Amino acid sequence: MKKIAVIYWSGTGNTEMMAKAVAEGAQGDNNEVKLLSVDKASVEDVMNADGVALGCPSMGAEVLEESEMEPFVQSLEKVVTGKPLVLFGSYDWGDGEWMRDWEERMKGYGANLIAEGLIVNLEPADQNLDACKKLGARLL
Ligand SMILES: Cc1cc2nc3c(=O)[nH]c(=O)nc-3n(C[C@H](O)[C@H](O)[C@H](O)COP(=O)(O)O)c2cc1C
């Protein structure tokens, strides 16, 4: 059994839908999955997990949401070295720049990014949710 943490920020629910599907995929046969919005999450949730999925939409101008997600991600700098990690999030008009930057940042923190960041335009359709489930399963 593995411990998986799925931690996300979502303003209008699109990334939350993705997070729920990632958590479902990570459940597997018998894994312990914590699905937490970032305001309920702590650094310990990440430290104690065997694998972590982080979700955040593109906000500002191609950045993470700044009041909750950004400081949380910053707080992970020293604790994600070697940690299996996947990233996901929804966007609208951009080209995914926020996700490319986020991936580089987490690699810079030493995280073990085990899949490409999954980006979905606005509300995820069924096939996007399937991709989210597969992403969650990659953490197992
Ligand atoms: C304040 C604000 C800034 C945004 N900035 C961007 C952006 O820079 N690039 C982009 O592609 N989408 C941007 N979006 C669109 C969101 O990423 C998109 O609506 C996404 O689906 C929201 O996800 P959520 O439902 O999980 O909050 C922005 C939305 C808001 C409200």
Side-chain angles (χ1 to χ4, degrees):
M1 189 191 77
K2 286 194 173 178
K3 290 185 183 174
I4 306 293
V6 181
I7 298 170
Y8 67 95
W9 183 93
S10 183
T12 55
N14 297 332
T15 304
E16 182 175 34
M17 287 173 71
M18 296 178 75
K20 285 179 177 164
V22 171
E24 199 182 321
Q27 190 73 52
D29 290 334
N30 185 26
N31 296 299
E32 189 183 313
V33 182
K34 270 193 175 182
L35 173 65
L36 299 165
S37 65
V38 68
D39 57 311
K40 306 271 193 309
S42 67
V43 173
E44 286 72 32
D45 290 315
V46 171
M47 288 169 68
N48 294 335
D50 300 308
V52 177
L54 298 176
C56 184
S58 179
M59 295 294 286
E62 297 295 328
V63 293
L64 299 175
E65 186 277 328
E66 288 172 281
S67 71
E68 293 177 333
M69 197 70 192
E70 169 56 37
F72 185 74
V73 168
Q74 184 65 52
S75 74
L76 302 182
E77 183 171 7
K78 301 277 186 269
V79 301
V80 288
T81 310
K83 184 79 73 180
L85 186 81
V86 296
L87 304 176
F88 61 92
S90 174
Y91 70 102
D92 187 355
W93 56 83
D95 69 352
E97 183 186 344
W98 104 103
M99 182 57 77
R100 294 193 295 276
D101 290 348
W102 195 10
E103 287 178 305
E104 286 311 309
R105 181 175 175 186
M106 300 318 287
K107 283 182 201 162
Y109 289 179
N112 175 16
L113 275 187
I114 58 176
E116 235 180 74
L118 179 61
I119 68 173
V120 169
N121 192 242
L122 294 170
E123 186 176 327
D126 285 349
Q127 75 265 23
N128 302 128
L129 294 173
D130 283 345
C132 291
K133 286 179 200 165
K134 289 199 178 96
L135 185 70
R138 293 284 301 272
L139 287 167
L140 305 181

